[in-house]
């Protein structure tokens, strides 16, 4: 048996390594494990490949070999290339030949099947069982796009991190795919080993006399067109002011790896005005490695998954900034970032208003978050989750007033849910679906 594990980020590779070490992919004997790394950034040629990043040696031992998907599909970009359906068998032969896979059976563990290269690899190995692993809060939301039956019927399970204990993932649930949590101890151990490899780098970069006590997380939201770059820089400044308000004079800013080089200029200017010593960490180090090494007293971000890993795995106090703005801006309603944004906004304190410094017990929030997440998910993908309608209607009828910011009135109206505008006769008559039905009825009557 050959097991192919596809990873595009160090965090994804750490997640699948933790699953392997937890025994979720069976014993090592008689199995050949291949890690396929890819870089889907806009210009991967100038980036650092996953297998060359600091700390990769802590993951390397679980795999018999490492292959580069970027090198295999060159000169095509890995995020934009996929095989034509009629060529899939030819590409399977090409991959088997290039990687010396022979005729052995293959099973695949990959990230989101919504996008390449995971989708391309799943299409190439059209007879292989699929294991989808999700490393963030998006696993709690609905599947973004329809998965063809030829792919969905092969998915064995969804592996996910138990970031909000008690909250069940909805990813691929409409296809009857079960979800399995990667044990916390396994992922924390893997992240700790990664941290050991990066300890020297962090020791060189962080001031030893007054180490930062607060960490700010950048997400590069302008890259996915949620807000402008200027707005995102102002968002970072708001994070800094919130940390300063909480009494932190030494702050670390960890920008997104894809952020431009000058992205922290406005933050440095604000830090000088506030009298805060700011360290900008541009090296490719996981946020979780920073948490383990630095043991900060506060982590502030917008809706990064790292906020929940800080709270769930390290017990660090966390807070959010700017989620109200993003809840207004995020489009379309089906945007997969809506569920992470909703969870963070509902679960974490507002860094600009609430008292800070106390850890957030995510395990105690599942009962409150579950109906909210399911209601938002239903509004995002109602056609795929018909069975949720009765409970969503009942919940909205009672709780909508306290959760209006998570729902759009137009969406509630279109779905005929509590909180929507009354449907007027004239508007109903103008609805395209109604007009088509009337034309069909008239044509039938004319016969």
């Amino acid at each position: 048996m050959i097991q192919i594990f596809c990873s595009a980020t160090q965090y994804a590779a750490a997640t699948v390594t933790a699953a392997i070490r937890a025994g979720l992919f069976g014993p090592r004997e008689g199995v050949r494990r291949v890690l396929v790394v890819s870089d889907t950034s806009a210009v991967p040629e100038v980036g650092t490949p996953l297998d060359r990043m600091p700390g990769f040696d802590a993951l390397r031992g679980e795999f018999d070999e490492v292959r580069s998907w970027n090198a295999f599909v060159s000169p095509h970009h890995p995020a934009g290339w996929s095989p034509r359906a009629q060529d899939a068998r030819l590409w399977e032969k090409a991959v088997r030949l290039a990687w010396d896979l022979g005729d052995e059976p293959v099973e695949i563990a990959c990230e989101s099947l919504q996008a390449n290269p995971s989708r391309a690899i799943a299409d190439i190995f059209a007879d292989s069982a699929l294991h989808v692993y999700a490393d963030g809060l998006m696993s709690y939301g609905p599947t973004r796009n329809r998965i063809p039956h030829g792919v969905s019927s092969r998915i064995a399970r969804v592996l996910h991190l138990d970031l909000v204990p008690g909250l069940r993932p909805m990813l691929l649930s409409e296809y009857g795919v079960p979800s399995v949590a990667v044990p916390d101890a396994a992922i924390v151990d893997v992240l700790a080993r990664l941290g050991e490899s990066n300890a020297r780098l962090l020791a060189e970069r962080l001031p030893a006399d007054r180490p930062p006590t607060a960490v700010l997380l950048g997400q590069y939201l302008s890259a996915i067109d949620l807000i402008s770059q200027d707005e995102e820089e102002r968002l970072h400044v708001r994070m800094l002011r919130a940390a300063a308000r909480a009494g932190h004079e030494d702050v670390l800013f960890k920008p997104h790896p894809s952020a431009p080089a000058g992205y922290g200029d406005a933050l440095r200017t604000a830090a000088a005005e506030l009298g805060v010593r700011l360290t900008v960490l541009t090296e490719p180090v996981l946020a979780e490695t920073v948490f383990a090494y630095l043991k900060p007293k506060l982590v502030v971000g917008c809706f990064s998954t790292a906020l929940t890993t800080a709270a769930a795995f390290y017990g660090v106090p966390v807070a959010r900034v700017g989620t109200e703005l993003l809840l207004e801006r995020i489009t379309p309603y089906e945007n997969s970032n809506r569920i992470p944004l909703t969870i963070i906004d509902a679960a974490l304190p507002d860094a600009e208003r609430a008292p800070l410094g106390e850890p957030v017990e995510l395990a105690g929030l599942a009962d409150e978050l579950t109906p909210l997440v399911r209601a938002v998910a239903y509004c995002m993908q109602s056609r795929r989750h018909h069975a949720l309608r009765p409970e969503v209607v009942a919940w909205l009828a009672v709780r909508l007033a306290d959760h209006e910011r998570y729902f759009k009135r137009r969406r509630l109206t279109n779905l005929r849910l509590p909180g929507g505008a009354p449907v007027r006769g004239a508007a109903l008559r103008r609805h395209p679906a109604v007009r088509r039905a009337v034309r069909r009825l008239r044509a039938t009557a004319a016969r």
Side-chain angles (χ1 to χ4, degrees), residues 2 49 60 65 90 101 106 203 238 249 253 259 273 278 289 328 332 365 367 379 396 415 423:
I2 296 173
R60 180 65 175 83
E65 57 194 272
L90 293 175
L101 302 183
V106 170
R238 289 171 59 187
E249 299 178 349
F253 175 59
E273 294 173 354
L278 177 70
T289 298
E328 285 295 321
L365 298 175
D367 290 344
C379 291
L396 287 173
L415 295 176
V423 179

Side-chain angles (χ1 to χ4, degrees), residues 333-407:
Y333 197 88
E334 296 86 350
N335 192 312
S336 295
N337 288 293
R338 186 173 296 279
I339 289 295
L341 179 58
T342 297
I343 292 174
I344 293 298
D345 183 85
L348 305 190
D350 186 336
E352 296 175 300
R353 299 180 181 86
L356 304 179
E358 293 297 323
V360 176
E361 295 295 335
L362 295 174
L365 298 175
D367 290 344
E368 179 69 21
L369 287 175
T370 295
L372 170 62
V373 169
R374 287 166 71 84
V376 173
Y378 175 77
C379 291
M380 291 171 66
Q381 300 290 349
S382 60
R383 294 182 179 180
R384 299 194 183 105
H385 294 279
H386 300 289
L388 290 182
R389 185 174 180 85
E391 70 174 82
V392 170
V393 169
W395 185 82
L396 287 173
V398 177
R399 302 297 303 277
L400 178 60
D402 298 325
H403 300 85
E404 285 184 330
R405 62 187 179 277
Y406 305 115
F407 303 94

Side-chain angles (χ1 to χ4, degrees), residues 174-257:
E174 68 268 38
Y175 300 104
V177 178
S179 60
V180 178
V182 177
D184 290 356
I187 184 64
V188 171
D189 178 68
V190 170
L191 292 173
R193 293 175 187 271
L194 279 173
E196 291 173 2
S197 303
N198 286 301
R200 180 179 299 178
L201 185 151
L202 290 174
E204 293 172 355
R205 287 288 290 109
L206 303 181
D209 56 334
R210 283 170 48 191
T213 58
V215 175
L216 313 181
L217 299 173
Q219 286 181 255
Y220 199 19
L221 301 173
S222 57
I224 53 178
D225 298 322
L226 292 182
I227 54 179
S228 68
Q229 184 169 326
D230 287 343
E231 288 174 320
E232 188 161 16
E233 292 200 62
R234 289 196 293 270
L235 189 64
H236 296 156
V237 172
R238 289 171 59 187
M239 294 179 190
L240 179 66
R241 294 187 183 280
R245 181 184 69 85
H248 296 276
E249 299 178 349
D250 298 274
V251 176
L252 171 71
F253 175 59
K254 187 183 183 312
H256 189 278

Side-chain angles (χ1 to χ4, degrees), residues 7 24 29 36 38 69 72 130 139 150 159 165 194 205 221 236 250 255 259 278 285 317 332 354 390 393 405:
S7 295
L24 296 179
E29 293 77 15
V36 178
S38 59
W69 187 250
F72 180 76
L130 302 172
S139 64
L159 298 168
L194 279 173
R205 287 288 290 109
L221 301 173
H236 296 156
D250 298 274
L278 177 70
V285 177
V393 169
R405 62 187 179 277

Side-chain angles (χ1 to χ4, degrees), residues 102-351:
D103 296 324
E104 301 299 327
V106 170
E107 65 177 359
I108 298 167
C110 57
E111 298 172 82
S112 173
L113 287 170
Q114 311 292 314
N116 294 316
S118 293
R119 182 59 176 273
I121 294 174
D123 288 342
I124 287 172
F125 290 94
D127 298 325
S128 299
L130 302 172
H131 306 268
V132 175
Y133 68 93
D135 57 14
L137 293 173
M138 283 188 186
S139 64
Y140 294 111
T143 315
R144 183 170 73 245
N145 301 319
R146 187 184 69 83
I147 306 294
H149 179 72
V151 176
S152 64
S153 61
R154 296 187 281 132
I155 304 174
R157 56 186 173 168
V158 172
L159 298 168
H160 69 99
L161 299 182
D162 200 17
L163 299 173
V164 184
L167 185 62
R168 295 187 61 81
M170 293 186 65
L171 180 66
L172 298 171
S173 61
E174 68 268 38
Y175 300 104
V177 178
S179 60
V180 178
V182 177
D184 290 356
I187 184 64
V188 171
D189 178 68
V190 170
L191 292 173
R193 293 175 187 271
L194 279 173
E196 291 173 2
S197 303
N198 286 301
R200 180 179 299 178
L201 185 151
L202 290 174
E204 293 172 355
R205 287 288 290 109
L206 303 181
D209 56 334
R210 283 170 48 191
T213 58
V215 175
L216 313 181
L217 299 173
Q219 286 181 255
Y220 199 19
L221 301 173
S222 57
I224 53 178
D225 298 322
L226 292 182
I227 54 179
S228 68
Q229 184 169 326
D230 287 343
E231 288 174 320
E232 188 161 16
E233 292 200 62
R234 289 196 293 270
L235 189 64
H236 296 156
V237 172
R238 289 171 59 187
M239 294 179 190
L240 179 66
R241 294 187 183 280
R245 181 184 69 85
H248 296 276
E249 299 178 349
D250 298 274
V251 176
L252 171 71
F253 175 59
K254 187 183 183 312
H256 189 278
S258 300
Y263 216 47
D265 292 346
L267 203 58
R268 292 185 181 91
T269 301
E273 294 173 354
L274 293 168
V276 171
R277 185 159 73 168
L278 177 70
T279 301
V280 179
L281 184 66
T282 56
E283 287 75 7
V285 177
L286 288 176
E288 289 73 17
T289 298
V290 175
F291 304 153
Y293 178 85
L294 200 57
K295 297 177 177 61
K297 304 299 182 184
L298 177 66
V299 175
V300 182
C302 187
F303 64 94
S304 170
T305 291
L307 288 168
T308 52
T309 58
F313 299 155
Y314 302 97
V316 178
V318 293
R320 57 177 171 82
V321 168
T323 50
E324 301 93 338
L325 171 65
L326 271 298
L327 284 168
E328 285 295 321
R329 293 289 186 84
I330 187 170
T331 57
Y333 197 88
E334 296 86 350
N335 192 312
S336 295
N337 288 293
R338 186 173 296 279
I339 289 295
L341 179 58
T342 297
I343 292 174
I344 293 298
D345 183 85
L348 305 190
D350 186 336

